[in-house]
Amino acid sequence: MTAPTVSGAAPGAPSDKQKPTGRAAIGAKTLRTDRWWVAPLLTAAGLTAWVLYALIRTATQKYYVVPEHGYLTPFSSPCLSMSCEEAAAHFGRPFPEFPPLVPFGIVVLPFLLGFRLTCYYYRKAYYRAFWLSPPACAVSEPHKKYSGETRFPLVIQNAHRYFFYAAVLISVINTYDAIVAFHGDEGFQAGLGNLILVGNVVMLWAYTASCHSCRHIAGGRLRNFSKHPVRYWFWTQISKLNTRHMQLAWITLGTLAFTDAYIALVDADVISDLRFIN
Ligand code: FES
């Protein structure tokens, strides 16, 4: 008679070490011979640079609005604190003064961060670039366990669609900022900063509309499209944008930083705004 195993497992049953993992038993970290590490490295560098820039810019609480041209950086919008200059307070100043280093846009920051951090593309980007889980296709990861997005904190990723609703609202606010910048004391006005603000807003809408949750809201949970031609049309258009979601994710990081930098440089009198009208 076979003696019972120490672990109590039935004789002949695979031990923990032998249990199937669903993965090929390959000893090498990877068999890939291409430069698979370039993409996660560039991703890590790009995201780190952007976050550092945003942190420094918002913590300074300076050069965020150009009152004479009506430009307000999206990093400080909506500006709702008594610390905000009047020209930046498009929606009033219901909050008291913020302490130093607190970004003026802190009220919406958790929602914006929630939207980007739970985004399907950014998940892939930072899982690979920072978490190395895995760093690339067909490259083994350093982690022993994998519980997916079923436990805290990653279970929060499932709230992405709710962050999407908040992001739509914030895009409306950014659009309002871009529109009111055309109205000056002399009436209609336009400069290069207006074009930059509008360009940023267009890209923000494109990124938001290309969201996977938006696509599902438009065309999901339908048994057939033939009875829902309007939703089908929206779903088709969003699907086209959706194929560019990764590019839009990066483009909007670029347009946000560029818009902010342009406004900061104009406000600090480092450069002058190119004026077209008034
Ligand atoms: S999937 Fe990227 S924003 Fe929704």
Side-chain angles (χ1 to χ4, degrees):
M1 189 177 148
T2 314
T5 60
V6 176
S7 66
S15 69
D16 278 352
K17 279 190 181 164
Q18 295 169 323
K19 274 183 188 163
T21 60
R23 295 177 181 183
I26 298 172
K29 181 177 165 65
T30 182
L31 299 180
R32 287 180 65 168
T33 53
D34 61 333
R35 295 192 298 162
W36 56 264
W37 44 269
V38 172
L41 187 68
L42 289 179
T43 303
L47 290 179
T48 304
W50 194 91
V51 168
L52 284 178
Y53 173 82
L55 275 178
I56 292 168
R57 277 289 299 132
T58 53
T60 56
Q61 299 181 335
K62 273 183 164 182
Y63 307 127
Y64 58 96
V65 63
V66 184
E68 63 270 35
H69 302 323
Y71 302 155
L72 171 63
T73 169
F75 282 5
S76 294
S77 176
C79 213
L80 300 171
S81 125
M82 289 302 289
S83 315
C84 300
E85 285 183 40
E86 200 171 335
H90 294 165
F91 302 94
R93 292 182 282 190
F95 292 95
E97 287 202 359
F98 285 168
L101 304 182
V102 173
F104 289 156
I106 190 85
V107 179
V108 296
L109 197 57
F111 300 101
L112 276 180
L113 274 181
F115 184 51
R116 296 264 173 174
L117 285 174
T118 61
C119 163
Y120 292 21
Y121 165 67
Y122 285 112
R123 278 190 235 180
K124 171 191 160 189
Y126 66 81
Y127 284 177
R128 288 188 174 193
F130 296 108
W131 212 320
L132 309 178
S133 178
C137 288
V139 179
S140 66
E141 57 183 296
H143 312 285
K144 296 264 186 304
K145 288 186 182 168
Y146 174 74
S147 59
E149 294 169 339
T150 57
R151 295 191 201 151
F152 185 81
L154 293 187
V155 72
I156 295 172
Q157 307 284 29
N158 295 299
H160 181 63
R161 73 158 46 198
Y162 302 106
F163 287 119
F164 165 78
Y165 296 134
V168 168
L169 196 60
I170 296 164
S171 292
V172 170
I173 292 171
N174 292 147
T175 307
Y176 179 81
D177 294 338
I179 291 171
V180 296
F182 284 104
H183 298 281
D185 294 339
E186 311 283 315
F188 183 79
Q189 60 181 6
L192 181 57
N194 292 94
L195 296 186
I196 292 172
L197 279 167
V198 169
N200 176 54
V201 159
V202 168
M203 286 299 123
L204 284 180
W205 276 116
Y207 168 68
T208 309
S210 70
C211 167
H212 292 67
S213 289
C214 179
R215 183 169 176 263
H216 182 73
I217 290 165
R221 293 178 178 271
L222 292 179
R223 284 189 176 276
N224 56 59
F225 279 131
S226 57
K227 289 188 182 150
H228 303 275
V230 175
R231 288 186 65 181
Y232 177 63
W233 186 85
F234 275 109
W235 179 83
T236 309
Q237 305 311 312
I238 291 168
S239 296
K240 287 180 195 162
L241 266 184
N242 183 257
T243 61
R244 300 271 178 268
H245 194 57
M246 179 184 81
Q247 289 90 333
L248 288 166
W250 281 104
I251 287 170
T252 47
L253 290 187
T255 59
L256 279 166
F258 182 71
T259 305
D260 176 78
Y262 183 83
I263 290 171
L265 292 173
V266 172
D267 191 35
D269 287 328
V270 176
I271 57 172
S272 319
D273 184 40
L274 180 62
R275 304 303 297 167
F276 307 132
I277 301 171
N278 285 328

